[in-house]
Amino acid sequence: MTRVLSVTSEIFPLVKTGGLADVTGALPAALAPLDVDTVTLIPGYPEVLQALDRGEILQHFDDLFGGPATVVAGSAAGLELLVLDAPHLYNRDGSPYFGPDGRLWPDNDLRFAALGAAAAALAVGLGFDVVHAHDWQAALAVVYLHVHAGRRPGTVLTIHNLAFQGHFPGSLFPRLGLPPGLFSRDGLEYWGDVSYLKGGLLFADRLTTVSPTYAREITHQDAGAGLDGVLRWRSGVLSGILNGIDDTVWNPSEDPHIASPFSAQRLMRRIANKVALKEQLGLAPDPTALLIGIISRMTEQKGLDLLLAQIGARAVGGMQFAILGSGEPWMQEGFLAAVRQHPGRVACVLGYNEPLAHLIQAGSDAILMPSRFEPCGLTQLCALRYGAIPIVGRVGGLADTVVDANEAALSAGVATGIQFAPVTDGALTEALNRAAALWQDKATWTRMQRNALKQDVSWRRSAQKYAELYRALEAERA
Ligand code: ADP
Ligand code: GLC
């Protein structure tokens, strides 16, 4: 039995801002049959403490970055948790990163230093075999373990998104309680700032990211977000392990959020979901129109500005769009304006809405993700599972999970979607033209849907890879 302490700032279904939560929420159950026992350390946000079925108090800190804190063991939503209850840091309404006014919490430096410090103390104290830290928010766990004098667990740091690095003014460094020598170019210093992610990247025993293509991309300057040098240096321990999705949460034959359950054998039943989706969103019933769904954070990463530039022309040309998401105010406003200009053809719901995300997957003909970069992406995996044809930029995990409908793939009968590159206006136009042409060829479209539905997008294979990685680390440190 390998005992793993997973360290994260989000976990589904308790607290989620993106795919990170889906991954940390699903991986423990996928690892359990492989003899890996995962316990997750998570900050004690109000929603976590409320859901917690409390067990023992395992640790007490008199002063953890400005106040007392305890670590409570317990469970919630089927997850085995260690909750860092530090009211001075986490007892507030808002997201894990932002206050209700939309501004970053001014003490995020201390909030996530505390998470890392507590993780290291627990990992050593409770004798875990491996610490698996997720993203910059947990990266200091690796650094504190690196400087720990005695025996320590092996460490894995997973990069879910290199765009977020946890940079803070250099004046913070003395408060972290790390050796002064670590504030250097060979340590956490990054152009005068402290970089939590850089620290984790330098000192973790193994680095992973969430797709093989992204693992390669980030060692190059154009996708390295300023850390490609460090990543090249550590490329010997860096690998890509694809994300999966929880195929019980995302199961079209037993999904309580959709109007009509369906499967590859009962594909016709899918149509009732399209009808229900259009009705719910006020889209015209036009059965011949290609309905494109979007479920996304509205940010530069996701490339939705490219869609905004042509959504009007596409709506006039006959396509329909069901959009769900939130993010940059100017993008939100852009989509709302498109709804006003093209009622019945463009619908947009702002905000986070889990049931509607399921219905869009079940009812749309295609799901569009024009991402400029995408470490893995989960939305296209859900799309494959629901027979919605993914139309995606050929980057990161999108390149690894969608088989483009080129001539070779079509004649071999293995296509599952449409890829385009580079991610530009022109290439998106072409991709949407290809989608429209394929949509006219019903036999091919249905074949692609069946191929999509056949893909294994579960955690099975990747959980095996994480288990192997943990075991290799354990063996090395034995
Ligand atoms: P990222 O983590 O970069 O946002 P992913 O594709 O990895 O992208 O994961 C996004 C996850 O969040 C998916 O499970 C997707 O269904 C979900 N999601 C994104 N936006 C919304 C929304 N507005 N409402 C409901 N679910 C959403
Ligand atoms: C990040 C990435 C996304 C990935 C998710 C989970 O949010 O943007 O591509 O799927 O993390 O790993």
Side-chain angles (χ1 to χ4, degrees), residues 18-23 135 158-161 164 210 243 297 301-302 373-380 397:
L20 167 62
D22 293 307
V23 173
D135 271 350
T158 295
I159 306 159
H160 293 267
N161 194 335
F164 303 109
V210 287
N243 286 335
R297 291 186 288 118
Q301 173 188 346
K302 302 295 179 180
F373 69 94
E374 196 62 78
C376 179
L378 301 175
T379 310
Q380 84 282 9

Side-chain angles (χ1 to χ4, degrees), residues 16 18-20 22 250 295-297 301-302 324-325 351-354 357 369 374 377-379:
K16 164 166 164 175
L20 167 62
D22 293 307
W250 294 97
I295 306 158
S296 183
R297 291 186 288 118
Q301 173 188 346
K302 302 295 179 180
L324 167 64
Y352 184 84
N353 186 331
E354 197 82 26
M369 295 176 74
E374 196 62 78
L378 301 175
T379 310

Side-chain angles (χ1 to χ4, degrees), residues 107-153:
D107 56 350
N108 277 345
D109 50 355
L110 303 183
R111 296 173 74 236
F112 296 110
L115 182 66
L122 286 164
V124 171
L126 302 178
F128 280 92
D129 301 309
V130 173
V131 169
H132 188 165
H134 296 272
D135 271 350
W136 74 265
Q137 299 90 323
L140 284 195
V142 166
V143 180
Y144 285 116
L145 284 168
H146 171 73
V147 300
H148 176 72
R151 197 177 149 67
R152 66 158 178 90

